[in-house]
Amino acid sequence: MITIFSEDHRLQDGKAELIDGKLVPCFEMPKRAEIVHARVKEVGLGPIEAPRHFGRAPIVRVHKPDFVAFLESAYDEWKSEHGDYDALPLNWLAPRMRRKLPERIDGKLGFYSFDAGTPITAGTWRAITSSANVALTAQAKVANGERAVFALCRPPGHHAGSDFYGGYCFLNNAAIAAQAFRDGGAGKVAVLDVDYHHGNGTQEIFYDRGDVFFASLHGHPAQEYPYFLGYEDERGEGEGEGCNANYPLRWGTGWDEYETALDDALATLRRFKPDALVISLGVDTFKDDPISKFKLDSPDYLKIGRKIAGLKLPTLFVMEGGYAVEEIGINAVNVLTGFEAG
Ligand SMILES: [Zn+2]
């Protein structure tokens, strides 16, 4: 299996995130991608190639142009007002407040974000556009006949919506790639999100569309970040009615319960009859993940890969979360080798 990877991911190297009432070093760190990259080489998964450049057009197919322009200029605006250190938002819209774009950067950060865990740094724009190019380069290879390609994206993307960022995510790499499949002629596309956290951004982007099915297995929003989306009764709306499937799972979920939900999600996607499959590949479902509460073990990721292969679809793997840094390479690559053996 070909892997697409860019060193530019290192340009996103935030100093701190707000979690548990403390500013702590970012869990979403460059070492994550380095360890996955090293594991891809170690097991000899296949060639590792650099991304091509696709420009802004495929990004604004799923993100609003004003949001993308904000991401591009946010750090410079922040730096000119506050100095050369990472930008974090201070406050957000509550229900019945007015959604009106403020002039100053502090207000804009709150307007376009939903958490304080996602610093905008000097290198953020280059890192996130590179990450999108990694996904698009891999997508193009799948569209041109590769059975499966691994987009080793960083920063991740699945929490980013049409006009908001958060959850370590800025541009939604999986959604950009899913749209690229559609624009390249695929009639229907399925996105399966196996990251521990609900892919709220991907759901939001495709919620009213019948051509892209979104299915997600994740920590139950009653217990887990991002809390305000990811329930079972969110099934899509309008033309997208019935094209969204959430599998919220409680803390402590282990393989048996996970497998039941995964089998159901895969059967649902099979009935949709998609032409291509995008996997939002997070491995923060691992038992030792520092910010998550599932109990999957490393061999379970081989089984996930094998089951995904059973759909027999052209498949794009897009790297998302996973914060047990020492094991992230083993677990992510286990999904890929399991797929190839399936
Ligand atoms: Zn996650």
Side-chain angles (χ1 to χ4, degrees):
M1 187 184 304
I2 297 169
T3 296
I4 309 297
F5 175 73
S6 168
E7 303 283 349
D8 284 353
H9 79 85
R10 290 185 192 151
L11 295 166
Q12 175 65 9
D13 189 7
K15 298 287 178 294
E17 65 169 272
L18 184 62
I19 188 168
D20 301 337
K22 297 170 189 154
L23 271 177
V24 304
C26 292
F27 285 99
E28 204 295 289
M29 62 180 80
K31 194 175 175 193
R32 299 177 55 249
E34 302 300 332
I35 287 189
V36 177
H37 182 248
R39 183 66 178 174
V40 165
K41 284 201 281 192
E42 186 184 344
V43 305
L45 185 71
I48 301 174
E49 299 178 10
R52 293 193 282 122
H53 294 273
F54 289 79
R56 196 176 296 239
I59 295 172
V60 297
R61 291 286 291 140
V62 303
H63 291 291
K64 294 192 176 144
D66 64 295
F67 169 64
V68 178
F70 156 79
L71 289 174
E72 184 173 23
S73 65
Y75 190 76
D76 287 343
E77 289 182 49
W78 172 267
K79 186 179 167 186
S80 67
E81 183 153 340
H82 295 288
D84 192 9
Y85 63 98
D86 297 356
L88 286 175
L90 178 67
N91 71 313
W92 295 275
L93 287 150
R96 294 179 297 283
M97 283 182 168
R98 290 185 66 181
R99 186 169 167 82
K100 188 169 165 57
L101 183 66
E103 292 175 9
R104 276 189 49 223
I105 184 61
D106 292 80
K108 290 182 190 177
L109 290 167
F111 183 83
Y112 284 119
S113 71
F114 67 90
D115 76 7
T118 314
I120 291 181
T121 74
T124 295
W125 173 250
R126 276 183 59 196
I128 63 179
T129 48
S130 172
S131 193
N133 282 326
V134 166
L136 285 163
T137 302
Q139 183 277 330
K141 286 188 180 294
V142 176
N144 286 329
E146 291 288 335
R147 183 184 177 217
V149 178
F150 177 37
L152 209 182
C153 292
R154 183 184 170 271
H158 72 146
H159 291 302
S162 58
D163 64 354
F164 56 85
Y165 73 97
Y168 316 145
C169 302
F170 303 88
L171 296 174
N172 193 318
N173 307 308
I176 291 167
Q179 182 64 44
F181 274 118
R182 285 285 294 112
D183 292 341
K188 292 196 286 187
V189 179
V191 181
L192 173 64
D193 190 321
V194 296
D195 187 278
Y196 173 76
H197 302 94
H198 180 240
N200 62 293
T202 316
Q203 172 169 315
E204 182 265 338
I205 286 168
F206 296 120
Y207 202 60
D208 61 354
R209 288 176 47 174
D211 57 335
V212 180
F213 197 111
F214 177 68
S216 177
L217 287 70
H218 50 266
H220 198 292
Q223 294 178 311
E224 197 50 82
Y225 181 97
Y227 298 111
F228 307 114
L229 214 57
Y231 288 88
E232 260 169 337
D233 62 356
E234 297 157 15
R235 295 184 34 76
E237 65 184 15
E239 290 183 7
E241 180 73 44
C243 293
N244 196 87
N246 283 325
Y247 296 85
L249 301 165
R250 291 281 172 172
W251 281 7
T253 291
W255 174 252
D256 289 350
E257 203 182 336
Y258 193 87
E259 181 182 31
T260 302
L262 179 59
D263 286 345
D264 194 281
L266 291 170
T268 300
L269 294 182
R270 188 176 282 119
R271 286 193 295 275
F272 182 66
K273 295 187 169 58
D275 300 298
L277 176 65
V278 178
I279 304 294
S280 267
L281 177 57
V283 292
D284 38 8
T285 46
F286 183 56
K287 62 184 173 62
D288 295 329
D289 193 276
I291 60 172
S292 306
K293 305 280 188 188
F294 284 179
K295 299 292 174 200
L296 300 197
D297 208 345
S298 293
D300 295 330
Y301 294 97
L302 292 164
K303 294 184 260 185
I304 291 174
R306 205 171 303 138
K307 284 175 182 286
I308 291 169
L311 287 181
K312 302 199 183 309
L313 287 167
T315 301
L316 169 65
F317 290 95
V318 177
M319 192 72 215
E320 301 282 2
Y323 307 97
V325 174
E326 296 308 324
E327 291 91 353
I328 186 176
I330 291 167
N331 294 338
V333 175
N334 270 4
V335 174
L336 307 175
T337 53
F339 179 94
E340 292 205 309

